[in-house]
Amino acid sequence: MTARIALKSDVLIVGAGIAGCATALQLARRGKLVTLIERDQAGIRASGVNFGGVRQNGRDLRELPIAMRARAMWDELPGLIGFDGEFRATGNLRLASDEERVAQLDRFFTAATEQGLGLVRLDRAELKARYPWLSDRPIRGVLCPSDGHANPRLVGPAFAFAAQEAGATLIEHTEILEGWYANGAFHLRAADNRTFAAPMLVNCAGAWAGKIAGWFDEPVTLAPEIPQVQVTEPLPYRIEPVLGVMGGDFYLRQTFRGNILFGSGQGRATPDALRSRPLPETMRRGAEIAIAFIPHLAHVPIIRAWTGVDGDTSDGVCVLGPSETHPGLFHAFGFNGHGFLLGPAVGAVIAELILGGKTSTDIAGLGIGRFRPARKASAAPARGQHPDEERDASPEQNGAQNADRGSIGMERNEQAAGAHQRAEHGQDR
Amino acid sequence: MSGPRLQRVADQDRRLIEITVDGWAMSAMEGDTLLVAILAQRSYLREASGEPQGEMPAAGFCLMGACQDCWVWHEDGRRVRACTTYAEPGMRIRTTWPDHLLAS
Amino acid sequence: MAGSPARILIIGAGPAGLRAAEMLAEAGCSPILIDEAPRVGGQIYRQPPRVPGFTRTASELYGAAADRARDLFVTFDRIRQRIDYRPSSLVYDLIDNRAIVASEGKSEEIAFDAMILATGAMDRIIPAPGWTLPGVYTLGAAQIALKHQGCAIGKRIAFVGGGPLLLLAAHQYAKAGAVPAAIVLPSRFESLAAAGLRLLPMPRELSSGLLWLLDLKRRGVPVLFGHRLVKVKGAESVTGIIAERAGRQRVIACDAVALGYGLRSETQLADLAGIRFVFDAERRQWLPETDPLGRAAGRKDIYLAGDGAGILGADAAEARGRLAAHALMTDLGIAHERYRPKPDKTAVACAERLQAAMRAAFDPPADLVTAIPDETILCRCERILAGELRALAGLLGAREVNRAKSFSRIGMGRCQGRLCGHAAAEILAGKLGISLDSVGRLRGQPPIKPVIVSTVAERKA
Ligand SMILES: Cc1cc2nc3c(=O)[nH]c(=O)nc-3n(C[C@H](O)[C@H](O)[C@H](O)COP(=O)(O)OP(=O)(O)OC[C@H]3O[C@@H](n4cnc5c(N)ncnc54)[C@H](O)[C@@H]3O)c2cc1C
Ligand SMILES: Cc1cc2nc3c(=O)[nH]c(=O)nc-3n(C[C@H](O)[C@H](O)[C@H](O)COP(=O)(O)OP(=O)(O)OC[C@H]3O[C@@H](n4cnc5c(N)ncnc54)[C@H](O)[C@@H]3O)c2cc1C
Ligand code: FES
């Protein structure tokens, strides 16, 4: 057993997804010696395979402040990573097709508008007039014109590239198996027995981060979030906004090349969440909803489907901020299938916390403390401020599937709790 | 080249059927795939076109449903693979994107 | 397995799948036989549509292989009522013990206890400048046009590439009255002759190959050994090709090109089924791993047969179909005492030798792929140039094809890399100076061929 300290650094980051890479970039730019350790390749996991939605619309209000900060940063990508990530603000349109969902959407509209998010409310006639390809199904829409989409295949790796340019050290194909705190430093041991140490540690391990938090006495149960996306052949560019259907767990966008991407429901992953694949029943349901909302899509060939794995917390929002057990440790994970938008701001916030001990962004609702075991008995974390309770509680859609999915990297007894808590919420891109 | 691309060399004693391609009446032989029906009359399946992505001219490639180079449309918008779909009397085919799709 | 009979699925009704179906039917099982094509026969014995006016006989269609073809069709007619045959049905996904099948605009899920994958092969393509012009077809396409539709792909056709099928197809075309403009083979005459010597113990194969060559020569068709395809000429359509040998170029006027450098296995379903793949250094392809009888590595209930498990040709496909059925029935305890595997094993071993000789004769030099000019379209679906792939080779860890795909879109189009995947891997490996196996292979993704949204949505009752 060797214990060689491979590199000297101020900050270790586990996980080179968009969260880890953006954090590395910000810190490196401010002169920190950063070592970014990645099990596979940078940006190859959730960050590289997601649907590409850059969306504030319909966000849980606890995430809205960081979402709005993140959104502003997407305009600055050329300065940050040297290219625009193919981001375009084409708008995000959330649709509701029954009174209950309309009420939810309206509540979100009111609350988010109060927080300064620019939104446009559209009734059925306005929807039809603006978007002739829509069916009569939706009766209300809320458009967030500043939202849009980008190319995930390139953005994640571009952040990694920029972080390296700024001086961060990226170590790929290195899985961290163990971590501990001793003698004023965080220590990590990799699968090849190399060890790393630094006074600060950032946990950006995506779907696998709950276990890492556990090494430092604050475990978080993450259920695998396995969105499944289908893509059609290219069509003439007609569908500008990214669509999201309230409660239906359906989302759709058209790339500028013309391909239509749509997703709904979950694929399947191995228990270690390292491999995942699409499910035919999920594809079928997605196809059904696609036709219900855009009838002309009935004719279009699907050419491919894929999945990836993110981590779901039990209350639907991410874990972001300092550790409650170990000063110098920070967490940024559990993005519930919508952390792509947040990525750039996650880096900025964590960097502020590390460099100055505080952040200008309101992350009050996102602390890891909400998962402290002591509180678990009393109640699941407060859900009071969930205006976009747009999850379908029907067991076949979420509950049952989620219970099946268990949790990532946890022992069995922890898993049961996770599966149970999760049963209530679904996802949204 | 503007004449027929494919040359019939055998089994030509078949019933003729009429189909419509891009608005033009075409006669085909019973048992022709759409690809053959069209390319026995003209040199391309699709002309170069602007949409959706600056299409190159195409005339199919593998004829076995593998390359996916030969998809065309029914006039009503349904998509068909020309090399694996037989021409049927009265079929109305177009080889460019049906503009009404996603437009109304 | 007592109680309800095992549900056995065969995918592919070519020689391999048909022989497997025959064995199973004779043993009293009634397998489900699925094929995307409207009639049985697979690629080699592809039949014309069942329509009046297609009058060519088996001999006219299949030449020397006519007896085999007839026997296969007779066999099929004999077992037809004892099997569940599903023509015009595409298996587009395979997961656990379920095949997802599209037919008549609807999807159906078929569960199985055991499955034989006999999905066959398609042409191996090496892109060259101009290969996307209308008028360039695969060699397989040239054959299909002729067999299935009674058409030639053009008036003056250049046959470019390698493999015995190239000579066979050119010969078939000549016989049909479409005399080839030229045969262009990158392999040298000497390697062909050397391979011929290895075939001395197999006089039938040797003599038919020779016969085709002589016939072409006799008809005055230029056969250009050791020539590479430099480019296909034409603006909107093929007008000719340029071939080159040792720096000397030759222009051949033609209005069509039949292009193919041998075959490669169709392995997408095997991939989705989770079968383990191994790199076959000889064939330079990743292939599903099997035991000698076709039992798939990593899946106890799946068996592979025919060219889908590595190219061995049509006769071996029949043998492999029977061997796979034999293994399946042995494993499930289904009695089939009358079958003796020995002759089929011998046939497969013989085909291995034949194929090795064919590869020696026809395999294009490695740099034929790696030297494709930068401005050549590599991925025809997404129109990605060879140079674009080279430019990002190695960038940010793009030393692996799926990473390169993610950056470049190569293989992300409608054909899922069927046509370009092989060349892309070679180019990536060549550019990085690493071995072909170390760049990995493009992963299969459902649906393995495009399926219309409404077909996915609608369930067959
Ligand atoms: C199919 C899909 C669609 C999505 N669509 C959207 C969308 O439209 N909009 C949106 O905003 N979000 C979307 N998301 C969510 C978004 O992709 C994620 O929230 C975001 O990418 C998370 O970034 P990350 O860096 O936390 O995770 P990841 O990109 O998963 O990165 C975590 C990294 O940590 C590494 N790692 C883990 N454990 C270890 C260890 N022990 N040692 C070393 N390395 C380790 C992993 O290998 C991984 O690379 C989607 C997700 C998926 C899967
Ligand atoms: C176009 C072409 C022409 C050929 N011509 C000759 C020739 O003339 N002489 C010769 O010796 N060799 C020829 N070959 C080589 C030939 O492929 C084989 O030697 C022989 O056909 C192999 O038999 P098989 O049963 O393994 O596969 P195949 O005959 O290829 O049969 C496979 C069958 O599986 C079906 N299939 C595949 N995937 C699916 C799916 N997902 N869902 C449903 N069905 C599926 C296909 O439709 C096909 O009918 C040709 C090959 C090709 C590609
Ligand atoms: S020509 Fe290749 S799929 Fe039709």
Side-chain angles (χ1 to χ4, degrees):
Chain A
M1 295 283 143
T2 100
R4 192 167 61 89
I5 307 237
L7 286 156
K8 171 163 169 30
S9 32
D10 302 321
V11 185
L12 296 174
I13 303 174
V14 182
I18 191 169
C21 292
T23 305
L25 172 62
Q26 296 287 353
L27 289 171
R29 285 229 173 140
R30 284 163 188 76
K32 288 285 173 194
L33 286 178
V34 182
T35 302
L36 180 56
I37 307 167
E38 167 57 44
R39 176 186 55 212
D40 308 311
Q41 284 183 293
I44 214 171
R45 292 290 172 179
S47 301
V49 300
N50 64 67
F51 167 73
V54 173
R55 172 185 65 84
Q56 310 152 87
N57 204 359
R59 283 266 162 189
D60 187 296
L61 294 185
R62 289 169 291 177
E63 273 184 9
L64 197 52
I66 183 169
M68 290 170 68
R69 176 170 185 188
R71 169 59 192 86
M73 293 180 73
W74 278 88
D75 289 331
E76 312 299 327
L77 283 197
L80 203 56
I81 58 171
F83 100 122
D84 65 5
E86 295 176 16
F87 171 69
R88 300 287 181 281
T90 59
N92 177 291
L93 177 64
R94 313 204 61 67
L95 299 168
S97 49
D98 62 46
E99 290 307 330
E100 193 192 329
R101 305 297 179 188
V102 168
Q104 274 174 21
L105 200 49
D106 286 348
R107 281 202 301 279
F108 174 77
F109 177 83
T110 310
T113 306
E114 262 171 40
Q115 290 203 26
L117 184 64
L119 296 173
V120 183
R121 192 154 36 175
L122 302 166
D123 64 22
R124 187 182 235 160
E126 289 165 321
L127 282 172
K128 260 308 217 196
R130 282 190 187 216
Y131 311 112
W133 31 262
L134 269 181
S135 71
D136 291 332
R137 257 303 254 281
I139 53 179
R140 168 83 85 245
V142 166
L143 177 73
C144 179
S146 59
D147 282 342
H149 52 101
N151 185 342
R153 291 181 292 110
L154 304 179
V155 170
F159 265 98
F161 199 64
Q164 284 176 284
E165 295 275 282
T169 303
L170 170 64
I171 303 181
E172 294 180 309
H173 304 295
T174 301
E175 181 178 9
I176 299 301
L177 293 184
E178 200 185 356
W180 65 96
Y181 185 80
N183 307 327
F186 292 91
H187 297 258
L188 300 174
R189 185 178 63 81
D192 60 6
N193 266 329
R194 262 188 304 171
T195 60
F196 303 86
M200 307 253 202
L201 173 66
V202 189
N203 174 13
C204 292
W208 303 268
K211 191 173 77 182
I212 293 182
W215 297 339
F216 301 98
D217 312 318
E218 43 191 356
V220 175
T221 304
L222 293 180
E225 165 68 36
I226 316 159
Q228 175 169 328
V229 185
Q230 283 70 224
V231 60
T232 72
E233 66 172 359
L235 316 179
Y237 183 66
R238 298 277 192 278
I239 303 178
E240 268 213 322
V242 180
L243 304 187
V245 172
M246 301 285 287
D249 180 20
F250 181 82
Y251 42 94
L252 178 147
R253 74 176 172 104
Q254 187 169 20
T255 67
F256 301 108
R257 276 190 90 258
N259 307 76
I260 290 179
L261 278 62
F262 65 91
S264 155
Q266 302 273 316
R268 184 165 80 185
T270 49
D272 58 11
L274 287 178
R275 276 181 306 141
S276 64
R277 65 152 287 163
L279 287 173
E281 39 281 3
T282 303
M283 192 184 301
R284 172 166 35 79
R285 209 177 89 82
E288 283 165 7
I289 307 178
I291 296 170
F293 280 84
I294 306 181
H296 281 155
L297 289 186
H299 302 316
V300 178
I302 296 173
I303 61 173
R304 192 157 30 93
W306 72 89
T307 54
V309 187
D310 199 359
D312 275 353
T313 59
S314 56
D315 63 352
V317 294
C318 65
V319 174
L320 182 69
S323 156
E324 293 209 336
T325 58
H326 291 74
L329 169 65
F330 299 85
H331 299 287
F333 62 86
F335 291 107
N336 295 277
H338 32 77
F340 183 55
L341 158 94
L342 299 182
V346 165
V349 165
I350 297 285
E352 285 173 354
L353 290 170
I354 285 182
L355 296 162
K358 58 180 193 310
T359 169
S360 56
T361 301
D362 174 9
I363 53 167
L366 308 178
I368 195 165
R370 68 193 203 274
F371 296 110
R372 249 199 318 265
R375 260 202 244 157
K376 209 150 106 192
S378 58
R383 310 178 57 86
Q385 15 181 0
H386 250 237
D388 63 331
E389 194 58 292
E390 51 177 354
R391 278 82 214 234
D392 232 307
S394 83
E396 94 183 61
Q397 263 185 40
N398 281 309
Q401 274 195 11
N402 292 345
D404 272 356
R405 280 189 271 145
S407 66
I408 305 160
M410 290 284 169
E411 299 308 318
R412 189 153 289 156
N413 54 348
E414 288 169 301
Q415 278 190 14
H420 170 72
Q421 286 182 4
R422 232 197 85 79
E424 285 166 63
H425 87 87
Q427 26 288 142
D428 185 14
R429 237 61 40 211
Chain B
M1 175 174 176
S2 54
R5 174 169 301 285
L6 301 184
Q7 310 298 319
R8 296 189 189 273
V9 294
D11 293 337
Q12 300 188 51
D13 196 12
R14 280 180 275 152
R15 195 166 70 91
L16 293 183
I17 58 175
E18 292 292 318
I19 61 172
T20 306
V21 178
D22 296 331
W24 299 87
M26 264 189 196
S27 64
M29 287 184 182
E30 196 184 10
D32 278 355
T33 62
L34 281 174
L35 180 139
V36 166
I38 297 171
L39 293 178
Q41 303 281 329
R42 68 186 202 194
S43 69
Y44 58 90
L45 202 56
R46 293 191 313 267
E47 269 183 300
S49 80
E51 283 201 311
Q53 31 165 332
E55 294 298 332
M56 304 186 290
F61 184 62
C62 72
L63 269 58
M64 59 182 279
C67 75
Q68 319 303 334
D69 202 26
C70 67
W71 286 77
V72 294
W73 289 264
H74 287 286
E75 280 183 1
D76 64 11
R78 281 174 298 138
R79 205 71 163 108
V80 278
R81 195 166 56 199
C83 72
T84 53
T85 306
Y86 291 113
E88 279 166 31
M91 260 187 183
R92 302 186 66 84
I93 296 296
R94 54 182 296 161
T95 63
T96 52
W97 167 260
D99 328 270
H100 73 276
L101 289 189
L102 296 183
S104 60
Chain C
M1 271 305 128
S4 65
R7 207 168 150 90
I8 301 167
L9 216 58
I10 303 172
I11 304 181
L18 280 175
R19 287 302 177 201
E22 177 192 16
M23 283 266 295
L24 289 160
E26 309 276 79
C29 307
S30 53
I32 304 173
L33 175 64
I34 305 181
D35 200 298
E36 193 187 354
R39 299 187 74 183
V40 297
Q43 303 301 359
I44 169 164
Y45 306 124
R46 188 179 280 263
Q47 305 183 65
R50 201 189 285 281
V51 157
F54 282 100
T55 52
R56 279 173 297 168
T57 61
S59 310
E60 288 171 281
L61 287 167
Y62 312 114
D67 286 345
R68 286 217 167 235
R70 269 190 294 259
D71 192 63
L72 213 52
F73 299 146
V74 168
T75 301
F76 174 69
D77 290 339
R78 196 178 70 234
I79 62 171
R80 176 74 187 83
Q81 299 311 318
R82 287 181 274 156
I83 64 173
D84 180 356
Y85 170 52
R86 315 271 186 97
S88 304
S89 302
L90 167 73
V91 180
Y92 66 85
D93 194 1
L94 200 52
I95 178 167
D96 304 330
N97 67 335
R98 303 181 282 153
I100 317 300
V101 185
S103 64
E104 292 170 343
K106 294 189 168 63
S107 287
E108 181 185 5
E109 193 175 299
I110 303 182
F112 59 87
D113 298 308
M115 159 181 288
I116 297 178
L117 278 175
T119 50
M122 76 166 293
D123 302 82
R124 171 172 159 200
I125 292 301
I126 299 178
W131 73 293
T132 54
L133 279 172
V136 182
Y137 290 97
T138 64
L139 182 66
Q143 277 195 308
I144 290 168
L146 192 58
K147 273 186 217 167
H148 183 63
Q149 298 275 283
C151 283
I153 58 169
K155 291 198 187 92
R156 288 182 56 74
I157 306 153
F159 287 77
V160 179
L165 284 184
L166 188 86
L167 300 180
L168 168 64
H171 164 74
Q172 287 167 336
Y173 262 69
K175 266 201 341 198
V179 178
I183 315 291
V184 177
L185 300 143
S187 49
R188 293 176 312 136
F189 179 73
E190 297 79 65
S191 39
L192 219 69
L197 287 178
R198 287 168 69 177
L199 289 187
L200 282 179
M202 289 176 237
R204 186 166 65 96
E205 283 73 14
L206 181 59
S207 58
S208 48
L210 273 176
L211 219 83
W212 301 330
L213 253 181
L214 290 176
D215 173 65
L216 291 165
K217 286 273 191 195
R218 189 174 54 81
R219 293 174 194 263
V221 177
V223 181
L224 310 180
F225 288 102
H227 278 70
R228 296 166 178 231
L229 177 63
V230 176
K231 83 182 264 188
V232 180
K233 291 175 27 149
E236 293 272 286
S237 192
V238 176
T239 58
I241 59 170
I242 302 177
E244 181 189 276
R245 176 183 180 145
R248 288 192 39 220
Q249 295 202 339
R250 228 171 123 158
V251 180
I252 296 148
C254 58
D255 64 356
V257 179
L259 185 68
Y261 296 82
L263 300 170
R264 37 148 295 267
S265 304
E266 281 281 287
T267 58
Q268 295 82 4
L269 289 179
D271 195 4
L272 290 182
I275 292 166
R276 205 159 53 233
F277 276 54
V278 282
F279 185 71
D280 184 324
E282 282 290 308
R283 295 185 174 87
R284 296 183 77 72
Q285 193 195 351
W286 287 87
L287 288 173
E289 188 181 339
T290 66
D291 80 353
L293 295 181
R295 292 186 178 95
R299 283 286 306 241
K300 285 200 164 54
D301 52 349
I302 299 187
Y303 303 78
L304 288 127
D307 277 359
I311 308 301
L312 284 183
D315 296 358
E318 291 186 43
R320 290 159 101 192
R322 280 188 294 260
L323 289 171
H326 163 62
L328 183 156
M329 290 193 282
T330 307
D331 295 349
L332 293 189
I334 299 168
H336 59 294
E337 292 83 12
R338 295 217 335 257
Y339 176 68
R340 297 274 164 275
K342 192 90 186 285
D344 283 333
K345 286 184 177 165
T346 311
V348 171
C350 180
E352 303 261 13
R353 286 197 299 278
L354 176 64
Q355 283 302 319
M358 288 302 134
R359 285 196 299 271
F362 290 109
D363 262 8
D367 71 339
L368 190 68
V369 194
T370 51
I372 293 172
D374 275 349
E375 65 280 6
T376 314
I377 290 178
L378 181 56
C379 166
R380 63 191 281 136
C381 301
E382 299 291 310
R383 268 183 289 153
I384 313 295
L385 307 181
E388 293 179 63
L389 176 61
R390 291 199 180 99
L392 54 79
L395 192 73
L396 283 169
R399 303 173 69 80
E400 192 268 336
V401 278
N402 291 289
R403 182 78 157 171
K405 166 180 171 180
S406 164
F407 288 171
S408 68
R409 309 191 56 84
I410 276 186
M412 278 200 181
R414 295 184 182 98
C415 87
Q416 281 205 24
R418 272 186 182 73
L419 296 175
C420 67
H422 172 83
E426 292 270 10
I427 287 179
L428 195 60
K431 170 77 182 175
L432 294 168
I434 58 181
S435 65
L436 183 60
D437 58 322
S438 64
V439 300
R441 65 194 172 89
L442 287 180
R443 286 185 289 262
Q445 289 176 285
I448 61 162
K449 288 185 180 180
V451 182
I452 307 283
V453 172
S454 65
T455 302
V456 171
E458 283 183 43
R459 259 183 285 192
K460 204 163 180 176

